[in-house]
Structures are given as structure tokens and as C-alpha cells.
Amino acid sequence: QVQLVESGGGLVQAGGSLRLSCAASGFTVSSYTMSWYRQAPGKERELVAAISGGGSTYYADSVKGRFTISRDNDKNTVYLQMNSLKPDDTGVYYCKAVRPLRYDVWGQGTQVTVSS
């Protein structure tokens, strides 16, 4: 019933931009902390950005100033605007919802590839 569906990934040259979308169903994104993670092959999954139900945001140092997480409550969708992309940003990006006293919800992931 509950699910997250990511979209917007693709192939981009260094310096380019992408906007990832995370569409939620079965729950309301404004009620929970929503996060973006990424994972490169052979690397651990890392937290990239997060937004709380109250709108507070967090960014990993590696993306601070380049990425922006936002939320559209009417569309029940979370976004990750990625600017000035670097090859190190390459990986599968996952959307995650943290629901206290409930299981976490993960999306299927969307591939982002940044070429140099």
C-alpha cells in the first residue's frame, strides 16, 4: 500500500543539473522526515539530504550548496534539485521515509550518472 517511486535520473555531463522526484502513495510526506540516499557500486549507501515534517533540512558536506531538497505537499512529492554535478555524484539515488513506530519505506532507486 505504501510506496515511493523515484524518477528524474539520467546521464549528465559534469556541471549539469538534474531534478529527482520521489512520489509517495499510501502516506503523507509532510508528516515524516524524508531523505535522499545514494550508493555507488562497491560503496556504502550514504545520506545525501533530508527534510523534516517541519521543513528543517540537512545536507551532506559533499553536496551542500549544490543540492536542494524540497517538498510539494499538494503533490505528495519530495524533490532533490542537483546542480553543478560532479562525477563523484554518480550512483543510484534512493528516497526514504522514516516513520516512527512503523517500518521505513524505500523507493526503488533512480540512476544518476555524471560524466567528465
Side-chain angles (χ1 to χ4, degrees):
Q1 183 66 33
V2 297
Q3 67 173 351
L4 297 171
V5 179
E6 300 99 332
S7 62
L11 306 174
V12 185
Q13 292 185 4
S17 298
L18 285 173
R19 189 179 75 156
L20 306 183
S21 298
C22 173
S25 59
F27 68 99
T28 302
V29 299
S30 63
S31 299
Y32 305 101
T33 294
M34 304 295 297
S35 304
W36 286 97
Y37 288 75
R38 68 186 180 191
Q39 187 169 23
K43 305 280 287 185
E44 65 182 1
R45 190 170 298 184
E46 63 175 337
L47 176 64
V48 175
I51 184 168
S52 73
S56 299
T57 57
Y58 163 86
Y59 299 96
D61 288 341
S62 59
V63 307
K64 194 171 299 182
R66 300 187 297 119
F67 290 12
T68 303
I69 188 170
S70 62
R71 185 180 63 217
D72 187 327
N73 294 335
D74 290 337
K75 296 181 178 179
N76 206 33
T77 298
V78 176
Y79 303 96
L80 184 67
Q81 178 66 47
M82 306 186 296
N83 298 326
S84 302
L85 284 163
K86 306 174 181 180
D88 286 347
D89 296 320
T90 293
V92 179
Y93 283 68
Y94 298 90
C95 184
K96 176 188 177 182
V98 177
R99 305 188 299 162
L101 305 180
R102 300 174 182 267
Y103 59 85
D104 296 342
V105 182
W106 290 86
Q108 83 288 351
T110 184
Q111 177 71 43
V112 172
T113 303
V114 184
S115 64
S116 59

